[in-house]
Amino acid sequence: MSSEPEIPSSSTETPEESGEKISKKAAKKEAAKLEKLRRRQEQEEEAARKTASLSLEDESSSRNYGDVTLTELQSTADPKAGKWREAVEGKKWTNVSELVEEMTGSEVLIRGRVHTNRPISNKKGFVFLRQSGFTVQCVVTESKENNVSVNMVKFLKQLSGESFVDVIGIVVIPKDPVTGTTQQVEIQVRKVYCVNSALQKLPLIVEDAARSEAEIQAGKPGANQDTRLNYRVIDLRTPANQAIFRIQCHVQIAFREFLLSKGFLEIHTPKLIAGSSEGGAAVFRLEYKGQPACLAQSPQLHKQMAICGDLERVFEVGAVYRAEDSFTHRHLCEFIGLDVEMAIHKHYSEVMDIVGELFPFIFTKLEERCSKELEAIRKQYPFQPLKFLPKTLILPFAEGIQMLKEAGVEADPLGDLNTEVERKLGQLVLEKYNTEFYILHRYPSAIRPFYTMPCADDPNYSNSFDVFIRGEEIISGAQRVHDPELLKEQATRVGIDVETIKTYIDSFRYGAPPHGGFGVGLERVVMLFCGLNNIRKTSLFPRDPLRLAP
C-alpha cells in the first residue's frame, strides 16, 4: 500500500497578506513624515509670526536710527530724501559747549564724534560725543514708550570711535555727576544717525595723543611726536591742540586789535622775490618764468617800501620761509610772521615802546579771553603763567653781558648769544626784575641784517633789539638804514648782489623817512607763552628740514 507524500507545513505569507503588511508600514512611515512636516510648518508659522511682530516693531522705530545715505548728504533740497533728513528737518543744531543745566527738559539736536562707546547691556548703552574739544554723555535705553528699540541700542553699540553722529534727545541732569566730560548734563537719546563712519582701527588714538607725560610714565599708552605729526589730522582733535590753535587765533586778534588802535594799516607783501630779503644762504631758490627767484625770508624789504610809499605805519600777518638746516625745538622752515614797520621821529626807542605795550596787551587779553583753553593745555602740558611787567623792562646789550659776567658766564661783547646763554640771562633777569618778558637793545652790528642802522656813537653796535620770553629770543627789531648809499655798502659787505634788490634800494632815493620795525614768529609766541617744549606743537602742519607732509 502506497502512501502519499506528506506536505510540510509552511509559515510563508500569501502575497495578499504580505502586501497588506507592507502597506501598513508605509502608512505608518508616511504618517510620521506628515507629522514631522506639520510640526515644521507650525515652527515656520511661529517664526513668521515672530518675524512679523519684529518687523512691525522695527517699522515703527527703525526710522529713529541708522546710517545717513550719501543722497541725503549731497545737499539735496528734498526734505524726504531719507529718515535722517526727515528727522532733522526744521531743527537747529546745538553746540555741545552750549549744553547746560538750564536746558533741562529741552529736546536738542547735536553732532559730534564718538569719543568713547560703553555698552552696558542689550538694552542700554553710553556714548560720549565730542565736538571741538567739548564732550557730553549720551544714554540710550530700550523703551517702548520712547520708541527706542533693542535694535537701536545695538546700532549705537557698533558705532566706531571718531565716527560722526547726529543725536536727537532730551537734556537731563544725571543722578550722579558725570566724570570725564566737559558738560555736566546728559542726553537721553531718542534718535541717532551715523553721518560718517570712521575706520574700526585707527593709526592714532585720540586718548593716547592727549595723555600727559605723567600719565605715560604711570603706564598709560601715549604717542610719540612723529606719530602724532604723521597723523596730524587725528592729533589735532585732542583738547590741548584744540586750545593751542584757538590761542594762536587770539594772539592774531589781539595783535591786530592793538596795532589798529595805534593807527597801523594791515598790508600783504609778495612772497616771491628776486633777491634775498635777509642775506645769507638760508633761502629757498626757484625759477620764476625763466628768472632766478626765491621765497621771501621776511616781508622786510616790501614793508619798508610801503613806509616809503607814505603808509607810515604798517603790519602784516603772513608766511615766512627759511631754508635753515636747524633741527632745534624752536626753528621751522615755514612759519607765520607777525611783522611791523613804522616811521620814527627821532629815536628807535619809539619802536621799542610799541613792542613794550603790544605784548603785555596780548598776554593780558589771552588771560582774559582764553582761560578755558589755557587750562586745557595745562592739563596735558603743565606750565606756570608767564610773568611780565606792566611797563616792559628794557636793558642795553652791554648790561646783559655784564650780568652774565658777574654770574660767571663768559659772553663775547661783540658776538651773539647762544641758546644756553640766552636762557641763563633770562634766569638772571627773572631773579633780579621778576619778569620773563624783556627787551635787550643795542646789539653788535656784525650779527644783525644788512639793513640795520649802526649806532651813531659806535658803528660796532646797532640801533637794534631782541625781545625774550622765558629766556628765549622771540622778536628781532631795529631802526632801518634809509640812506641808499649806506644800504648799498652794507648789502655788498654781506654778499648780496645789489642788482637783485635794486628796486628796494632805489625806493630810498625817492625820499624816505627814518623808520624801524620788528618781526616775530606766531608759533614761537604761542609756544613760549604756554611753556611748550617744541614749536611743532604750535604749527598746524609743521615744515622743518625733514617734514614736507602731511
Side-chain angles (χ1 to χ4, degrees), residues 455-467:
C455 289
D457 61 337
D458 188 347
N460 288 317
Y461 291 91
S462 61
N463 295 345
S464 63
F465 60 90
D466 277 359
V467 184

Side-chain angles (χ1 to χ4, degrees), residues 79 84-93 107 109 168:
W84 166 81
R85 184 61 190 271
E86 290 179 10
V88 302
E89 187 67 23
K91 291 182 169 62
K92 291 184 178 180
W93 275 264
E107 182 184 81
L109 166 61
I168 297 174

Side-chain angles (χ1 to χ4, degrees), residues 299-347:
Q300 185 58 49
L301 310 187
H302 290 89
K303 67 178 182 176
Q304 284 187 256
M305 291 167 74
I307 299 301
C308 293
D310 287 349
L311 295 183
E312 292 193 353
R313 290 186 158 201
V314 299
F315 71 92
E316 179 173 13
V317 178
V320 173
Y321 302 92
R322 302 284 172 86
E324 297 173 338
D325 288 330
S326 298
F327 299 89
T328 74
H329 73 284
R330 65 177 187 170
H331 287 95
L332 292 170
C333 292
E334 178 183 7
F335 60 90
I336 301 301
L338 307 176
D339 278 270
V340 172
E341 203 73 19
M342 57 184 277
I344 60 178
H345 292 105
K346 65 176 185 177
H347 200 280

Side-chain angles (χ1 to χ4, degrees), residues 15 19 182 338 346 353 503 533:
T182 61
L338 307 176
K346 65 176 185 177
D353 289 342
T503 55
N533 63 1

Side-chain angles (χ1 to χ4, degrees), residues 53-86:
S53 176
L54 185 60
S55 297
L56 289 173
E57 177 193 357
D58 285 349
E59 185 62 31
S60 63
S61 63
S62 65
R63 300 195 71 77
N64 292 339
Y65 66 92
D67 293 320
V68 182
T69 65
L70 180 59
T71 300
E72 293 176 276
L73 295 171
Q74 288 180 300
S75 301
T76 176
D78 182 6
K80 295 185 178 181
K83 52 189 177 183
W84 166 81
R85 184 61 190 271
E86 290 179 10

